[in-house]
Amino acid sequence: MAGILAWFWNERFWLPHNVTWADLKNTEEATFPQAEDLYLAFPLAFCIFMVRLIFERFIAKPCAIALNIQANGPQIAPPNAILEKVFTAITKHPDEKRLEGLSKQLDWDVRSIQRWFRQRRNQEKPSTLTRFCESMWRFSFYLYVFTYGVRFLKKPLTTDLHYYYILELSFYWSLMFSQFTDIKRKDFGIMFLHHLVSIFLITFSYVNNMARVGTLVLCLHDSADALLEAAKMANYAKFQKMCDLLFLMFAMVFITTRLGIFPLWVLNTTLFESWEIVGPYPSWWVFNLLLLLVQGLNCFWSYLIVKIACKAVSRGKAGKWNPLHVSKDDRSDIESSSDDEDSEPPGKNPHTATTTNGTSGTNGYLLTGSCSMDD
C-alpha cells in the first residue's frame, strides 16, 4: 500500500522540477493546501445534500406557494395494463409498426395510442413547484458561494480560502450524486462530464497549490449561475418581463466571463505565462487540458444561449413570442422529444376509445411543462 501511495504522490508528476512536498508544508509564516484536506469533501457533500432537502422543504416550498406556484403535475394517463407493459418494458416511443399492432390489439385508433404514450411520458415530468424549489436552492447556493469566494481574489492565501475550496468541491460531489434524482434534462451527459471535470480541476489545483488561479476560475463560472436560476424562478412564477431581463443579464455575463475573461486572461496565464515561469510538468498538462475542456463546454453553451436569444427575438418580431423567453430553451427539462411531439395540434379534439377492460381511452389535453437551462 505504501508503494502505491508513493507512486501516486510522485513529486515529479504533481510538482515542478524544483519543488518538493516538503516545500508545501505549513509553517508559522505561511499555510499551504494539504491533500488530506480533500477528504473532508465527502462528509460535507452529504451535509450539503441534507441542507438542500431541508431548504427546499421549509424555505423554497413556502415561497413557491406564496407566489401561487402549484404542485399540480401533468394529467395522469388512464390505466391500461397492455400499454403500461410496453411503456415500462419495451419502449417509451413506439414506432409506427408497433402502434399499428397495439391499435388492432386494443381496438384503439393510432392517434389515441400516441396520445396515451405522450401523456404517460409527461406524467414523469416534475411539477412547476418542484422545479422552482430546485432553482431556488441553486440560486441561493450560487449567490452565497460567489460572494464568499470573490473576496479572496485580491487577498493573500488564507485558511478561509481553503474552506472555500473544500465547499466548492463538496458541492460538486453532491451534484454528482443528486443529479441522478434531480430533474432530468437533455444535457444530462454533458452536465455529468462538467461536474466530473470540475471535481478534477478543483482537486488538481488544490494539491498543486494553484489555489489563486483556481479561485478565479470558480468565481468566473459562478458569476452567471445565480442569474440563470433567478431567471428560471421568475419564469416559473410567471413574471415574464423579469424573466426576460434576468436571462439577458445572464447571457451577457456568461458570454463576457466565459468567452472573454476566461480564455484571454486565465487560459493565457495558465498556458503561456506559467510555461515561462515554472515550465511544463505532467500535472500541468493535465490541469490545462481540463481547462481547455471546460472552455469547449463554455463555447457549446454559449452557442445555445445565442441560438435561444436569436430564436426568441425573431419570434418576438413576428408577434409569436416575447424576446428571450427562457421557457422554450433548447436544453429542455426531461424529454428528448420535441415540443411539437408532446403538444396537441390546435383545434383538434382528442379521439375517444374504449379499452378492453372498459376504461375510457380519452386522454384530454397534454399539459406540457416549461423548459429551462442549467449551467
Side-chain angles (χ1 to χ4, degrees):
M1 187 65 181
I4 295 176
L5 290 175
W7 170 82
F8 182 80
W9 294 111
N10 188 297
E11 293 175 343
R12 299 287 61 83
F13 173 80
W14 290 97
L15 304 174
H17 67 280
N18 58 341
V19 179
T20 65
W21 292 121
D23 297 323
L24 299 180
K25 293 294 184 181
N26 290 331
T27 64
E28 294 182 358
E29 293 78 19
T31 59
F32 298 97
Q34 303 298 310
E36 55 266 24
D37 297 342
L38 299 175
Y39 294 127
L40 296 173
F42 296 103
L44 187 56
F46 176 77
C47 293
I48 289 176
F49 181 73
M50 297 305 297
V51 169
R52 172 187 172 174
L53 296 179
I54 296 172
F55 179 91
E56 291 185 357
R57 174 66 179 84
F58 295 103
I59 299 178
K61 187 175 180 180
C63 290
I65 294 173
L67 293 170
N68 295 320
I69 298 176
Q70 303 299 321
N72 297 333
Q75 186 177 351
I76 298 176
N80 186 288
I82 296 175
L83 296 181
E84 185 67 27
K85 183 177 180 180
V86 173
F87 183 87
T88 55
I90 301 176
T91 178
K92 297 181 179 180
H93 298 271
D95 55 23
E96 185 176 349
K97 183 178 179 180
R98 190 176 299 277
L99 287 171
E100 292 176 355
L102 290 171
S103 176
K104 294 178 181 178
Q105 185 178 1
L106 296 173
D107 193 25
W108 286 23
D109 58 84
V110 172
R111 181 62 178 165
S112 295
I113 296 175
Q114 289 176 325
R115 196 176 295 116
W116 188 95
F117 274 93
R118 284 197 300 269
Q119 197 169 36
R120 182 62 180 84
R121 290 192 299 268
N122 289 336
Q123 188 176 316
E124 298 184 345
K125 292 184 179 182
S127 66
T128 304
L129 186 144
T130 301
R131 300 168 192 259
F132 180 91
C133 291
E134 180 181 305
S135 290
M136 187 171 179
W137 157 251
R138 294 195 179 195
F139 166 78
S140 302
F141 183 87
Y142 288 138
L143 183 62
Y144 165 74
V145 80
F146 173 72
T147 54
Y148 182 72
V150 75
R151 62 195 181 100
F152 296 117
L153 294 180
K154 292 187 178 181
K155 290 184 178 182
L157 299 180
T158 62
T159 305
D160 287 341
L161 179 62
H162 302 170
Y163 295 153
Y164 168 70
Y165 244 71
I166 299 301
L167 180 63
E168 287 274 16
L169 180 60
S170 303
F171 177 69
Y172 279 106
W173 271 119
S174 70
L175 288 181
M176 282 289 291
F177 299 107
S178 66
Q179 67 178 342
F180 293 99
T181 58
D182 285 345
I183 299 169
K184 290 184 171 56
R185 296 177 170 87
K186 283 183 181 179
D187 61 345
F188 174 85
I190 295 177
M191 290 306 300
F192 184 85
L193 175 64
H194 171 267
H195 298 336
L196 193 62
V197 170
S198 299
I199 288 172
F200 277 113
L201 273 173
I202 294 172
T203 302
F204 266 79
S205 60
Y206 192 81
V207 173
N208 279 349
N209 195 31
M210 295 181 179
R212 175 68 71 195
V213 67
T215 301
L216 179 57
V217 172
L218 289 169
C219 288
L220 281 176
H221 285 74
D222 287 339
S223 60
D225 292 338
L227 290 171
L228 173 61
E229 300 302 333
K232 290 162 62 178
M233 290 163 59
N235 181 47
Y236 299 144
K238 301 187 185 303
F239 299 150
Q240 196 55 54
K241 290 184 178 180
M242 182 183 296
C243 170
D244 295 338
L245 176 62
L246 288 168
F247 184 74
L248 177 60
M249 293 170 60
F250 157 74
M252 293 173 62
V253 172
F254 188 98
I255 293 175
T256 300
T257 56
R258 304 198 187 196
L259 295 189
I261 297 175
F262 182 66
L264 298 179
W265 184 11
V266 178
L267 287 181
N268 179 64
T269 299
T270 61
L271 283 171
F272 303 110
E273 294 180 10
S274 67
W275 181 296
E276 298 176 358
I277 297 172
V278 297
Y281 49 97
S283 67
W284 180 95
W285 287 106
V286 175
F287 181 71
N288 280 285
L289 285 174
L290 289 173
L291 287 177
L292 290 173
L293 180 56
V294 168
Q295 183 58 20
L297 293 173
N298 290 339
C299 291
F300 170 73
W301 283 321
S302 297
Y303 160 75
L304 290 181
I305 292 171
V306 173
K307 181 180 177 182
I308 294 161
C310 292
K311 185 186 297 184
V313 171
S314 63
R315 292 186 182 182
K317 288 180 179 179
K320 297 179 180 178
W321 191 20
N322 290 331
L324 301 179
H325 196 304
V326 178
S327 67
K328 291 296 183 182
D329 193 323
D330 287 355
R331 293 174 59 193
S332 63
D333 274 359
I334 187 166
E335 284 211 58
S336 59
S337 55
S338 66
D339 291 336
D340 293 337
E341 180 196 13
D342 286 350
S343 60
E344 281 298 320
K348 194 162 187 174
N349 293 327
H351 296 281
T352 302
T354 303
T355 66
T356 54
N357 60 5
T359 59
S360 173
T362 303
N363 292 294
Y365 67 93
L366 291 175
L367 181 61
T368 56
S370 59
C371 303
S372 61
M373 178 174 178
D374 272 336
D375 179 64

